Amino acid sequence: MSTITEVTSQPQWDELLGSVPPSALVIVSFHAPWAAPCAQMATVLSTLASEYPVTEPKSTVWASVNAEELSDISEAYDVTAVPFLVLLRNGNVVETVSGSSAVKVRTAIETQTRADGNTTAAGDAMNGVEKTGGKPAVEEAPVDPAKQKDELFKRLGDLVKAAPVMLFMKGTPSSPQCGFSRQMVAILREHSVKYGFFNILADDEVRQGLKEFAEWPTYPQLWVDGDLVGGLDIVKEELGNDEEFFKPYSVSGPNDAAVA
């Protein structure tokens, strides 16, 4: 069975890419230690990897990259949120998956392994299908909308608590995609707040679902200790009422959080 290699340096990454056969599919998971959904994705990928045999030449290569520690690699593949999956073949990106949907990840990996004519037992196993005379013995159950919503809300519940201060914005702190997000980032930087962020433009499931989950229809959204503070106007109002509103979350405060 295949295993996932944790990449810890640029030279190791370069060596890994240089050793992969051109036809092999490289499955790269970008993660951050503060993001709870990444732990869930690690479990999903470990399970999937175990279903793919180790063969020579290799048909699949599995790797994991800390998006914060190896930011140059992250930027090279436009990683703006975690978890984020990049599928490569012959050095080229063939597909990406943002978010922690096990179904989307499984489908992307299976599709791309088959795209090169590499049909594996793992592909059948991931579909829950046993081949009998060339026909599926068991078909996948239809998607239950209620269950799908429950799973999304569970993911969102973990996501808003991924860091003591979480900003859901359009774009990234280095490249905001709307004026309100730009102003929110400026406020957090002005008060030396250490925060996690999520680019809602990179994951439409989160973008639409969080509106309902938070009962707040617009972005950016700022969450503190898992509770919604609100948008830009509300944050400005909180600071107007209390100049030390962000003090516990500044770089010198007790609740230090990693910046994404």
Side-chain angles (χ1 to χ4, degrees), residues 35-230:
C38 290
Q40 175 186 343
M41 181 51 57
T43 301
V44 170
L45 290 172
S46 178
T47 301
L48 289 174
S50 69
E51 299 293 340
Y52 282 80
V54 179
T55 58
E56 292 296 340
K58 294 181 178 179
S59 59
T60 60
V61 175
W62 303 69
S64 181
V65 176
N66 186 315
E68 293 179 337
E69 291 185 356
L70 299 177
S71 57
D72 287 347
I73 300 177
S74 301
E75 291 176 8
Y77 294 100
D78 296 323
V79 178
T80 56
V82 289
F84 192 79
L85 195 73
V86 176
L87 305 182
L88 304 166
R89 180 173 281 115
N90 199 21
N92 299 315
V93 177
V94 293
E95 190 166 350
T96 62
V97 181
S98 180
S100 58
S101 170
V103 173
K104 290 181 180 179
V105 166
R106 180 192 66 189
T107 301
I109 294 173
E110 179 187 1
T111 299
Q112 293 304 329
T113 52
R114 290 178 182 272
D116 197 50
N118 294 322
T119 302
T120 67
D124 297 333
M126 288 190 296
N127 270 330
V129 173
E130 179 184 351
K131 293 294 183 179
T132 306
K135 296 182 180 180
V138 181
E139 295 182 357
E140 285 191 9
V143 176
D144 182 345
K147 182 178 180 181
Q148 197 172 38
K149 182 177 179 179
D150 287 344
E151 290 177 351
L152 174 59
F153 273 31
K154 182 180 183 302
R155 178 189 171 198
L156 294 174
D158 291 336
L159 196 55
V160 298
K161 298 174 185 175
V165 177
M166 277 294 296
L167 174 61
F168 293 84
M169 62 180 294
K170 294 181 179 181
T172 65
S174 61
S175 182
Q177 298 299 304
C178 77
F180 295 127
S181 292
R182 184 176 294 105
Q183 290 184 59
M184 187 76 86
V185 168
I187 288 174
L188 293 174
R189 287 176 174 169
E190 179 184 351
H191 291 83
S192 301
V193 177
K194 213 165 188 184
Y195 62 99
F197 79 89
F198 192 100
N199 177 9
I200 52 96
L201 298 179
D203 191 324
D204 196 58
E205 188 176 49
V206 171
R207 180 181 185 178
Q208 300 303 329
L210 192 59
K211 294 178 182 179
E212 183 179 358
F213 180 82
E215 298 182 355
W216 193 271
T218 60
Y219 292 100
Q221 291 182 17
L222 191 72
W223 292 70
V224 174
D225 292 332
D227 293 323
L228 176 67
V229 176

